[in-house]
Amino acid sequence: MTGLTASYVTLHGAGFTDPARTPFAARAAAAARAGFTGIGVQFADLAAHGGVGAVRTVAADTGLAVTEAEFLGGWALAESVAAPSDAEVTLAEAARAWGPLRVTSGEFAAGPADPGRAADRLAELAARLAPLDVTLAVEAFAWGALCDYPTALDVVRRSGAPNAGVMIDIWHWFATGADAAVLHDIDAREVAGVQLNDGPRVRPDDPDMLYKARSTRLLPGRGELPVRALVTELRNLGYTGPWSVEVNDPWFRALPVDEAARQAFDSATAVLNG
């Protein structure tokens, strides 16, 4: 099994949109003790923990690499991305300090997006960030302008960017209506990353979609979704990683950070090991 990354929300100890309850140093130490090799960060969280340089030092002291960052949005509906956003400026600084970085990207705002224009914006961003070894991992959100994975994949393909792919968040994969059959049209090289989690089955038109997305992201193997089957299909495509764990529900985020890290790592490892 390749190394595992603890995505930002998994160990920050709060709701998806809330400030972190657990300091970064405690998150990193807990992740390393549990067996993770990488950790994720959120751009908005960096200032509260000393900035890019301090976060790099803390992670390195625990033996972890900062491998995943979030979130680069707003581009899919933008008229122009000629002027870098604040998030892109922070991302560039982080990539120079941390090295290769996978950045979750997409569009939270409702759409629909024009696929051709969105692809042009993605291509422009990807070209600027390629020299920094940044990979843009595009997610689909049922409520957003890129509302399903075929749309997200279409935008990635139209962009022609070698450093862009889709981020398969398992919860969102099924919540947007995708299933294992969608993978038959995907090349493993088009998958920039997989975020492991689980949850209840949710329809794309569920009126409580946003609430459930932020409150029912369960440990992999603990919900109703065919997580193991999807992992098997991905491996049949030739996908070997990267893998990360993104879980967050009220019960889980109330756990002590060491216990949360241990459960996240053990659950993900059990799924990946079959």
Side-chain angles (χ1 to χ4, degrees):
M1 186 188 78
T2 57
L4 272 174
T5 290
S7 294
Y8 167 71
V9 300
T10 301
L11 299 180
H12 86 307
F16 261 75
T17 59
D18 297 329
R21 176 174 62 88
T22 306
F24 180 76
R27 284 177 250 159
R33 284 192 289 267
F36 287 99
T37 58
I39 192 165
V41 299
Q42 185 186 73
F43 298 135
D45 184 57
L46 290 176
H49 296 91
V52 166
V55 165
R56 179 187 183 280
T57 298
V58 169
D61 285 348
T62 64
L64 296 179
V66 180
T67 55
E68 186 178 283
E70 59 183 51
F71 186 81
L72 190 61
W75 50 267
L77 296 174
E79 291 291 337
S80 171
V81 292
S85 65
D86 291 345
E88 186 185 344
V89 171
T90 302
L91 163 58
E93 179 189 358
R96 291 186 186 99
W98 302 336
L101 196 60
R102 181 173 64 259
V103 180
T104 54
S105 311
E107 187 59 70
F108 287 131
D114 176 84
R117 188 171 72 177
D120 288 345
R121 302 297 173 263
L122 179 62
E124 189 174 346
L125 289 172
R128 280 207 297 262
L129 294 167
L132 300 175
D133 211 358
V134 168
T135 298
L136 298 181
V138 180
E139 286 193 68
F141 307 113
W143 63 85
L146 305 177
C147 63
D148 55 40
Y149 274 91
T151 299
L153 182 62
D154 181 37
V155 169
V156 167
R157 285 175 171 169
R158 288 177 185 238
S159 77
N163 59 323
V166 291
M167 169 66 86
I168 297 181
D169 177 306
I170 289 180
W171 197 98
H172 285 300
W173 177 265
F174 290 105
T176 57
D179 56 22
V182 176
L183 288 176
H184 298 164
D185 189 42
I186 296 179
D187 187 288
R189 291 169 294 184
E190 296 175 314
V191 181
V194 176
Q195 290 177 327
L196 299 164
N197 44 47
D198 209 328
R201 287 192 174 273
V202 180
R203 299 187 320 274
D205 61 350
D206 191 311
D208 295 322
M209 171 67 73
L210 188 57
Y211 169 78
K212 290 178 179 178
R214 294 174 174 175
S215 303
T216 65
R217 205 79 64 94
L218 306 180
L219 291 163
R222 304 286 182 90
E224 301 172 356
L225 304 178
V227 178
R228 285 182 171 84
L230 188 64
V231 167
T232 297
E233 289 291 336
L234 283 162
R235 284 181 162 152
N236 288 341
L237 289 179
Y239 181 77
T240 58
W243 306 96
S244 54
V245 186
E246 187 178 66
V247 298
N248 191 280
D249 70 85
W251 171 84
F252 180 81
R253 60 183 176 245
L255 291 173
V257 67
D258 272 292
E259 180 63 15
R262 184 190 65 77
Q263 291 203 27
F265 182 83
D266 289 352
S267 296
T269 301
V271 165
L272 292 175
N273 288 344

